Amino acid sequence: MVSAPDFISGKEQSYLADFDSLGRFKLTFPIMNAQELYVDWRGVQLHMSLEAGNTIALFVDLVDYIPLEADKSREGYENRPKQALFMGDNARINNELVSYKPSSTYIDRNKAEKLTDMEYLSHCDSVSKKRTDVLNSFIIVNPNVSKKFREFNTEYERYNLAFYLMQHRFDLQRKNKTTFDAGYMDYVRANFPLTNEWAYTGVRDFRTFLRDYIDYSTELAPQRTVTILYKDMARYIKQNKKVDESTIKLLNELIAAYEEFENSNKDQVEALQIKHKDLFSKAETINPLFQEAHAEMLANQPIDTHVSDSLLTNEHLRQLWSASMYYAELDQYHKALSDVKLNNMRAKVQNPDLIKEIETINNFYKNVATKGMTYEASLKNT
C-alpha cells in the first residue's frame, strides 16, 4: 500500500496493488507537485518523496523484514539492516531516506495540560532542535547527500514542529481560554511564513498546520452574518420563478411596503403596520415560495474566505486553500453546488486543474440528485 495526502480533501489517499506470482506489483496514482508518501506492507514501512510524472522502481528483500529471535526487541528489529533499493526518477533521495534513521524523540502533547502556552512552545522547540541535531549529524557524516534530501528533511522537521504548535489550540478550550498567551502566535508567524511553495504539498504536516492556523485566526475574527431581506427575496422570486400576474402584483406591493418601512422613522412604524396589515396577511399565502427563495439565496452565497485571503499572500496557496474549502462544503452536505456558487468557485480558484477536480465531485453529486431509485423493493421502512 502507498499512502499520499490529498491537499484538497485534507484526507489520506491509499493506493493498493496485488502481488503477482513473482512478488511484483505496479501502482499508478496521481500526486500534486512534490509529495511525501509512505509505503506500508506488513513490516515494510518506507518514507518517500516523489514528484508528479515520476516513474520509480522499488526492490525489497522481504526476508529481511521477517522478525528474528536475534532482534530481541522492536528496537532491535527496526535497527537491523534491511535491503531496500529504489531505481528511477528521484531514486537518490528515496535511497537516502531509507538509510537515514530520524530521531526517536517526539513532542509529547500530554505535557500541554500542565504547561503554560509559552512553556509548551519551549518544550516543542527543544524537542525539534534535538531532532534537527540528529539530522545535521547525519549530514555531517554523509556530506554527499543530495540537496533534495536536505531540503525535504529540513522542511519535514520544520512543519512537524508547526503541526504540534497549532494542534495546541485544541487544548485552549479545556483551559477555558480562547487565545494563546502573548508571544505564542508571534513565534508561529516568524518561523512559518507560508512562502515556500514546495512545502505546500511536499510535507504532509503542512496542510494540517495551515488548517489549524486559519481556523484559529477565523475564530478570533469578527463573525460575519448573512441577512436576506424580504424585499430581496421578492425580487429574487420575480427574476427566477415562474409565477402568475397576481403573484407578481403582490410581490411588487410587498417591495413597495418594505421600502416604506426603510424610509420611515420610529414614530411611523406602527401606522405602517396597520396600513399594510392585510397585505402582510395575504403574503402568508405565498410563504412556501419565500421559503424556497430563501434556501436558494443562502445556497448561492459565496464561501466566506476573507480571513484566509488576508493570511495567504501567495496566490498558489490561496487557490489551493479556496479549492479545499469548496471541497469541504461538497463533502459535508453531499449536495451539488448551485450554479451561482460554482461560478464563484471558478472565479476564486482559477487554476484549471483544481477547478476540474471540484467540478468532477460536483457533477457526481448532481448526478446522484437526479438519479432514480433502483430496487425499491429492497428498501425497508424504518
Side-chain angles (χ1 to χ4, degrees):
M1 179 184 76
V2 175
S3 62
D6 184 334
F7 190 103
I8 303 304
S9 70
K11 300 175 183 177
E12 197 78 10
Q13 302 294 337
S14 297
Y15 305 97
L16 305 172
D18 294 324
F19 286 93
D20 66 13
S21 60
L22 297 177
R24 300 172 302 186
F25 71 93
K26 181 179 180 179
L27 273 175
T28 301
F29 54 92
I31 61 175
M32 182 185 295
N33 303 327
Q35 286 196 235
E36 176 189 357
L37 312 171
Y38 280 113
V39 175
D40 189 354
W41 187 80
R42 297 188 178 181
V44 181
Q45 295 178 330
L46 301 175
H47 201 190
M48 292 184 65
S49 177
L50 290 179
E51 299 170 10
N54 282 173
T55 299
I56 193 166
L58 166 63
F59 171 81
V60 173
D61 190 343
L62 296 179
V63 174
D64 290 344
Y65 290 85
I66 298 174
L68 303 174
E69 288 187 13
D71 294 334
K72 295 183 180 179
S73 65
R74 178 69 183 179
E75 184 179 1
Y77 168 79
E78 291 178 349
N79 290 333
R80 174 161 50 85
K82 302 175 185 65
Q83 188 173 17
L85 178 65
F86 288 97
M87 294 167 283
D89 300 326
N90 271 318
R92 181 179 177 183
I93 179 178
N94 287 292
N95 285 322
E96 291 167 341
L97 287 172
V98 169
S99 64
Y100 173 58
K101 303 299 180 186
S103 172
S104 58
T105 302
Y106 292 95
I107 293 168
D108 185 358
R109 278 282 319 278
N110 294 325
K111 290 191 174 185
E113 296 179 10
K114 298 181 180 180
L115 299 176
T116 67
D117 294 340
M118 297 306 292
E119 287 172 342
Y120 174 76
L121 187 153
S122 179
H123 162 68
C124 293
D125 187 58
S126 174
V127 172
S128 181
K129 285 178 179 176
K130 290 178 182 177
R131 292 180 57 85
T132 303
D133 287 344
V134 171
L135 171 62
N136 291 335
S137 296
F138 178 85
I139 292 173
I140 291 172
V141 174
N142 301 274
N144 294 324
V145 291
S146 66
K147 180 181 177 182
K148 284 186 177 181
F149 173 86
R150 297 168 191 252
E151 291 178 346
F152 172 82
N153 281 286
T154 297
E155 294 305 298
Y156 177 87
E157 294 298 343
R158 182 197 305 276
Y159 285 102
N160 180 258
L161 170 59
F163 166 85
Y164 279 104
L165 290 178
M166 288 312 303
Q167 282 281 291
H168 184 45
R169 76 184 184 91
F170 296 107
D171 300 318
L172 293 176
Q173 188 174 3
R174 289 192 289 270
K175 296 183 177 183
N176 296 316
K177 296 174 60 178
T178 57
T179 60
F180 291 123
D181 293 343
Y184 194 94
M185 288 304 295
D186 291 336
Y187 179 93
V188 171
R189 295 186 190 98
N191 289 277
F192 313 106
L194 309 179
T195 54
N196 183 355
E197 292 193 350
W198 179 89
Y200 299 164
T201 57
V203 287
R204 60 183 5 98
D205 282 342
F206 176 88
R207 207 269 184 194
T208 307
F209 155 73
L210 184 66
R211 179 204 65 195
D212 292 339
Y213 179 69
I214 292 174
D215 286 353
Y216 173 78
S217 301
T218 302
E219 289 168 2
L220 296 182
Q223 297 299 305
R224 292 187 173 185
T225 57
V226 176
T227 303
I228 299 176
L229 301 176
Y230 257 84
K231 69 170 186 177
D232 295 329
M233 286 188 280
R235 291 194 177 106
Y236 179 88
I237 293 169
K238 286 177 60 181
Q239 294 170 1
N240 299 280
K241 303 292 182 182
K242 291 182 179 180
V243 293
D244 56 35
E245 289 298 324
S246 62
T247 302
I248 292 176
K249 181 175 179 294
L250 177 57
L251 292 170
N252 287 332
E253 291 173 352
L254 287 168
I255 292 170
Y258 276 101
E259 287 178 345
E260 277 191 71
F261 276 96
E262 288 178 341
N263 296 324
S264 65
N265 56 46
K266 292 181 180 180
D267 297 335
Q268 296 173 312
V269 170
E270 187 175 350
L272 288 173
Q273 288 174 337
I274 295 171
K275 174 183 176 181
H276 297 299
K277 181 180 178 181
D278 292 341
L279 176 63
F280 293 151
S281 295
K282 192 175 180 181
E284 292 180 5
T285 61
I286 58 170
N287 195 48
L289 201 55
F290 276 106
Q291 291 176 344
E292 184 179 316
H294 185 266
E296 290 177 7
M297 292 174 75
L298 279 178
N300 289 339
Q301 291 291 316
I303 292 177
D304 186 2
T305 60
H306 77 282
V307 174
S308 58
D309 287 346
S310 67
L311 295 173
L312 308 181
T313 57
N314 181 282
E315 180 63 28
H316 295 153
L317 182 57
R318 190 161 59 245
Q319 290 190 38
L320 276 169
W321 185 254
S322 294
S324 74
M325 293 183 74
Y326 281 96
Y327 174 90
E329 177 154 325
L330 287 165
D331 192 50
Q332 180 178 356
Y333 296 108
H334 303 286
K335 183 179 178 181
L337 302 173
S338 70
D339 290 341
V340 173
K341 186 167 282 187
L342 198 59
N343 286 331
N344 289 335
M345 182 276 294
R346 294 182 182 117
K348 192 79 180 173
V349 175
Q350 297 181 352
N351 182 294
D353 293 324
L354 298 179
I355 290 174
K356 183 179 179 181
E357 184 168 351
I358 299 302
E359 287 180 339
T360 299
I361 301 166
N362 190 70
N363 289 336
F364 169 80
Y365 286 118
K366 187 179 289 186
N367 292 334
V368 167
T370 57
K371 196 172 184 180
M373 184 70 70
T374 56
Y375 304 109
E376 293 183 24
S378 67
L379 297 178
K380 293 183 179 178
N381 292 324
T382 57

